[in-house]
Amino acid sequence: MTLSTRRQAKRAARREARRALPLWRRLLPTWRITLGTLTALFLLAVGSFAVLYVIVPVPDPNAHAVAQNNIYLYADGTTEIARTGAVNRTDVTIDQIPLHTQQAAVSAEDRTFYQNRGIDLKGMIRAGWNTLTGKGMQGGSTITQQYVKNYYLTQNQTIERKGRELLIALKVDQQRDKKDILAGYLNSSYYGRGAYGIQSAAHAYYGVDVSGLTLTQSAYLASLLQAPSLYDVKTATPANREKAVARWNYTLDGMVQLGFLTTADRTAATFPDPIDPQPTTGLSGQAGYLVGVADDYLISSGTIDAATLKAGGWRITTTFDKPRQDAFTKAVQDELAGDLDPGSRPTTDTDVRVSGASVEPATGRVVAVYGGPDYAKQPYNDALRQDNQIGSTFKPIDLAAGLLAQHTLDGRPITTESHYDGTSERPVTGGPTPYAPPNEDDTDYGNITLRYAMVKSVNSVYAQEGVDAGLARVRDTAVKLGIPDSVRGMDPANTSMTLGTATPSALDLAGTYATLANHGQAHTPWSVLKLERVAPGGAIDVPKMPEHNPTDAVERTVADSVTDVLRDVVSPRGTGAAALDLGRPAAGKTGTTDSNLSAWFAGYTPELTTTVGLFRENPKTHAKEPLAGTAGLTRINGGTIPTKIWTAYMTAALDGTPTQQFDLQSGHDTPGTDTWPTTTGSTPPNTGATPHPGPAAPSATIPGLITTIPTHAPSAPPAATGNPAPGPTAPSPPAPQPTTTHEQPSPTTRPTQTPPPKPTDPPTATGGPATHPAATPTP
């Protein structure tokens, strides 16, 4: 048998054997077909790659080097706020860049830089795998790829751009020396603070030329390359500061790993705090703060990345309303600045700062913010900072959580008219940590409703009510209403969370109260209407803006019930009585924290929500200072200066607009049940009971709630008891414990929304506002 015959016989045998197989098996390709197909595909891929490598050229540098200014406009689309964004960059040679600065960048961004060929396949595969397995979005780009993207291409996240990046990176690595690539990367990268390139970054963060950078400073600048806007420790949130320091440590550890740094020198390294951000020309007054809010929104929403935005050329129409913005600035000037006398009171009337934000509840549009007196003198945006506790402005969240729960943890109903024990320093029962908060001036209130406890800002009541609602539910409610889940002070493991240890920004808090004003429909505050620029070639580049659809935060009846209670706060008997001067239906809540470190008023009308915060901060150490004594007042409560600023601003902001009434569908009260307190001491403190929806007494008890229900409204409100017997002592919880306050004289009748004549008599002993010694007390 010939060789050809034998081959034919084998093929025939294989065909017969395959015919004998089941149908499903015959449908599968043989190993020969599979191997042949894979080989063909491989050869096709190699050939295609070779063709693309030849035909794709290294382009000229992009227009980034001649970037234009950004133009920021008010909501009218024509009035200019500021022009910013011209690229701040001075190129330097590799010889001018210290060796440890070069090594820090390699350790932070691409530890295989000196070995790879422009791309790192292992790194790309590892980054992709980490992303798929839930370890967060990870980048596998080498320094060469990042340089190609910055210098030759754009930041567009497309497959086509990524493919070109890979091919050009390979070519650049073949055609240029590693030192030149590294120099180009360090000169083209964005470091935050408007600084492009390592030379500008050295000046922006440490006030030196790049040649003067120390090892630790170089490691910090290298750390900024991952997230320049977020990792600036002088303006970062506490959480982002921790991430920035962790990235700095990662960079130094990489230098040890690569042999650039000894273990001893690594151990001796300490974090090099940068200098404060320096003022940017053209951003004086409120302009810099408005630009900061707009930039923060564009970047955090993913509309555009920081480097592309800072490259310039954008026309940005914001949501800010110029007349309202001017009104906010004037309100602060009229209600605070004129009362400060640093010359006579240098220890109390200096370092005073105001944060504020104003939001449309129905849309979430930010119409005005107050970030500070002048960005050219104070380049910190106080409207965005997240390091001031909000105190009793958190109590409406406690109430909303209780109304959502409908019952305490062991089954008793919670309504706005549920009765609680208002004894000062009554230990909270059932909390994860011991807590016995005092009421302001240690006032005992006896048997009062949740409504009245809100009106007088009674700490002992809401500390217990928050626990009864469930601290996890309280936190969840806060997040749904608009408090960012990343802010500090919202740990359900600490009972003190109920009284406002949370530290959202003024803008965050405005968004939260706007949700209540909008009947439980939440909008994340937003500040940019339109973003566009003229692209190379004359085309108009208009990135897609985020949608602004509301989410269901809480039921309408819950939100409206809270609003109904907060209307009573803005009443002759409430802590927000000063807001009655607005002359419109309004709801709100005051807040003051431990040691008088901050004071707040957050309030709204049906059409506008505004928050005002007041605090003092040492400009050098950034330590918080007490407000006591400021403007000659022995104590600054939320019902004093913050409420006066709020009222002055809201009066101007709403001038000329029709008065709107609240359209409420509340369903969490008890018709016919008395809602005002008994005389102090009418019931024994610290007895067990339940929230009481009607006349029937409960069959079981909950410590901290009152069983005795008043049968009629008293002719007078409770008065301070002078020196009441203190409640049982309890160790302080580990979290801060804000003491929120009730600032106004007690009333004798139910409040209405009609503003009464201003009282001429001073407040009673129930905790009126501290005032200038020579002045008549003002509500």
Side-chain angles (χ1 to χ4, degrees):
M1 181 180 293
T2 65
L3 179 61
S4 176
T5 303
R6 286 198 298 273
R7 288 176 176 171
Q8 291 176 357
K10 288 181 179 180
R11 284 198 291 271
R14 286 196 297 270
R15 285 196 294 270
E16 289 298 323
R18 188 167 183 80
R19 291 193 189 99
L21 295 173
L23 176 61
W24 68 270
R25 181 62 183 84
R26 294 200 304 272
L27 294 176
L28 296 177
T30 65
W31 68 270
R32 288 181 175 82
I33 295 174
T34 302
L35 180 61
T37 301
L38 292 175
T39 301
L41 290 174
F42 176 76
L43 293 175
L44 179 63
V46 171
S48 300
F49 185 85
V51 171
L52 289 172
Y53 183 83
V54 172
I55 65 175
V56 174
V58 175
D60 293 330
N62 59 37
H64 177 78
V66 289
Q68 309 168 58
N69 288 330
N70 286 331
I71 302 175
Y72 293 81
L73 305 172
Y74 282 103
D76 60 14
T78 57
T79 307
E80 187 172 308
I81 298 173
R83 288 175 178 254
T84 68
V87 174
N88 173 25
R89 176 176 55 214
T90 303
D91 289 349
V92 290
T93 66
I94 194 67
D95 294 330
Q96 293 174 286
I97 304 173
L99 182 60
H100 54 247
T101 305
Q102 302 173 39
Q103 294 169 340
V106 170
S107 300
E109 292 295 305
D110 181 9
R111 295 180 182 179
T112 66
F113 172 71
Y114 291 110
Q115 292 78 41
N116 65 51
R117 298 297 183 182
I119 63 174
D120 181 7
L121 292 177
K122 289 183 179 179
M124 294 168 63
I125 294 171
R126 180 174 60 251
W129 174 254
N130 288 339
T131 299
L132 289 174
T133 54
K135 297 181 179 178
M137 291 293 292
Q138 308 226 344
S141 297
T142 62
I143 281 178
T144 307
Q145 288 175 259
Q146 294 180 61
Y147 166 57
V148 166
K149 179 178 66 175
N150 292 340
Y151 194 68
Y152 296 108
L153 302 176
T154 68
Q155 306 293 326
N156 295 336
Q157 300 295 320
T158 64
I159 295 176
E160 185 270 341
R161 198 274 296 160
K162 191 67 176 179
R164 293 184 66 206
E165 176 187 304
L166 292 173
L167 292 169
I168 296 171
L170 288 170
K171 280 194 171 184
V172 168
D173 187 77
Q174 290 292 317
Q175 298 172 5
R176 300 185 62 180
D177 186 81
K178 288 285 188 182
K179 286 186 176 181
D180 293 336
I181 295 172
L182 184 57
Y185 171 69
L186 292 174
N187 280 322
S188 63
S189 294
Y190 180 62
Y191 292 82
R193 298 192 182 184
Y196 284 88
I198 189 66
Q199 171 75 336
S200 297
H203 278 280
Y205 287 89
Y206 294 106
V208 299
D209 285 328
V210 63
S211 59
L213 287 173
T214 66
L215 167 68
T216 56
Q217 292 170 347
S218 298
Y220 176 62
L221 294 183
S223 303
L224 286 170
L225 291 167
Q226 185 181 63
S229 296
L230 298 180
Y231 287 177
D232 185 345
V233 296
K234 286 295 185 179
T235 58
T237 64
N240 284 335
R241 179 185 172 87
E242 291 178 359
K243 292 179 182 178
V245 174
R247 184 69 177 175
W248 175 78
N249 282 311
Y250 169 84
T251 300
L252 290 176
D253 291 339
M255 295 184 73
V256 174
Q257 176 185 330
L258 295 176
F260 299 147
L261 184 65
T262 66
T263 302
D265 288 341
R266 167 68 183 92
T267 304
T270 57
F271 186 78
D273 269 317
I275 62 177
D276 289 340
Q278 300 304 298
T280 303
T281 56
L283 296 178
S284 61
Q286 293 297 303
Y289 305 123
L290 301 183
V291 167
V293 172
D295 285 356
D296 182 75
Y297 167 71
L298 288 171
I299 296 169
S300 63
S301 66
T303 305
I304 191 172
D305 65 79
T308 304
L309 176 62
K310 291 296 183 182
W314 295 100
R315 185 179 179 89
I316 302 162
T317 304
T318 70
T319 60
F320 305 121
D321 181 82
K322 189 176 191 312
R324 288 176 171 175
Q325 183 61 47
D326 293 343
F328 217 144
T329 304
K330 187 175 186 301
V332 174
Q333 181 68 31
D334 291 348
E335 302 300 331
L336 173 63
D339 293 332
L340 298 179
D341 187 357
S344 300
R345 297 184 292 267
T347 60
T348 60
D349 282 18
T350 54
D351 311 333
V352 181
R353 299 169 71 153
V354 175
S355 61
S358 191
V359 174
E360 288 182 350
T363 64
R365 290 174 46 159
V366 184
V367 299
V369 297
Y370 187 85
D374 186 345
Y375 188 80
K377 298 177 180 178
Q378 180 200 294
Y380 296 95
N381 196 334
D382 289 334
L384 297 179
R385 65 188 305 152
Q386 294 179 331
D387 60 351
N388 288 309
Q389 293 182 355
I390 60 171
S392 284
T393 58
F394 194 84
K395 285 174 182 172
I397 298 173
D398 295 325
L399 178 58
L403 299 181
L404 284 170
Q406 299 183 14
H407 297 83
T408 63
L409 294 179
D410 60 350
R412 275 61 179 187
I414 297 178
T415 74
T416 61
E417 313 310 322
S418 298
H419 285 70
Y420 273 73
D421 182 353
T423 302
S424 183
E425 295 189 84
R426 185 193 57 74
V428 174
T429 301
T433 54
Y435 195 32
N439 300 326
E440 188 189 7
D441 297 329
D442 210 21
T443 302
D444 290 336
Y445 286 88
N447 174 20
I448 57 176
T449 63
L450 288 176
R451 178 184 295 271
Y452 188 81
M454 187 74 74
V455 170
K456 305 306 284 184
S457 200
V458 181
N459 295 329
S460 57
V461 168
Y462 275 95
Q464 184 66 58
E465 186 273 341
V467 170
D468 291 345
L471 295 182
R473 178 179 283 109
V474 171
R475 186 187 193 282
D476 181 63
T477 302
V479 172
K480 287 181 177 178
L481 288 172
I483 303 291
D485 61 3
S486 59
V487 303
R488 296 188 174 185
M490 284 213 302
D491 184 1
N494 288 314
T495 310
S496 59
M497 180 187 78
T498 55
L499 297 189
T501 56
T503 58
S505 69
L507 184 56
D508 297 330
L509 189 60
T512 300
Y513 272 64
T515 302
L516 296 173
N518 197 34
H519 312 294
Q521 296 288 297
H523 288 278
T524 300
W526 54 285
S527 54
V528 175
L529 290 167
K530 186 167 61 175
L531 178 68
E532 60 183 355
R533 71 174 174 181
V534 178
I540 304 298
D541 185 5
V542 183
K544 179 177 174 57
M545 299 299 293
E547 299 288 339
H548 302 297
N549 299 318
T551 59
D552 296 325
V554 296
E555 300 170 5
R556 174 166 185 164
T557 55
V558 170
D560 286 0
S561 294
V562 174
T563 295
D564 184 49
V565 171
L566 295 185
R567 288 195 302 172
D568 284 351
V569 175
V570 183
S571 72
R573 71 196 70 225
T575 60
L580 283 170
D581 286 345
L582 177 63
R584 292 172 178 255
K589 184 69 188 75
T590 55
T592 313
T593 59
D594 274 347
S595 302
N596 209 182
L597 294 181
S598 63
W600 292 84
F601 185 73
Y604 50 93
T605 63
E607 63 270 51
L608 192 61
T609 301
T610 301
T611 56
V612 177
L614 188 69
F615 62 100
R616 294 179 65 226
E617 178 177 289
N618 187 296
K620 295 182 179 179
T621 66
H622 301 293
K624 296 296 186 297
E625 301 171 334
L627 286 166
T630 298
L633 304 179
T634 57
R635 180 171 59 199
I636 301 295
N637 296 324
T640 55
I641 294 174
T643 305
K644 290 169 64 179
I645 293 173
W646 182 93
T647 305
Y649 161 72
M650 291 287 283
T651 299
L654 298 175
D655 184 39
T657 64
T659 298
Q660 295 187 27
Q661 302 294 327
F662 285 105
D663 177 20
L664 303 182
Q665 297 177 12
S666 58
H668 292 270
D669 55 2
T670 306
T673 301
D674 171 60
T675 60
W676 303 110
T678 61
T679 303
T680 302
S682 63
T683 57
N686 214 22
T687 58
T690 179
H692 192 80
S699 58
T701 63
I702 297 176
L705 304 182
I706 296 296
T707 55
T708 304
I709 307 300
T711 58
H712 61 279
S715 58
T721 55
N723 296 301
T729 58
S732 299
Q737 301 179 6
T739 302
T740 52
T741 64
H742 50 280
E743 296 96 349
Q744 302 301 330
S746 297
T748 58
T749 59
R750 282 296 304 271
T752 66
Q753 288 299 314
T754 302
K758 298 181 73 170
T760 57
D761 294 329
T764 64
T766 48
T771 60
H772 191 289
T776 300
T778 304

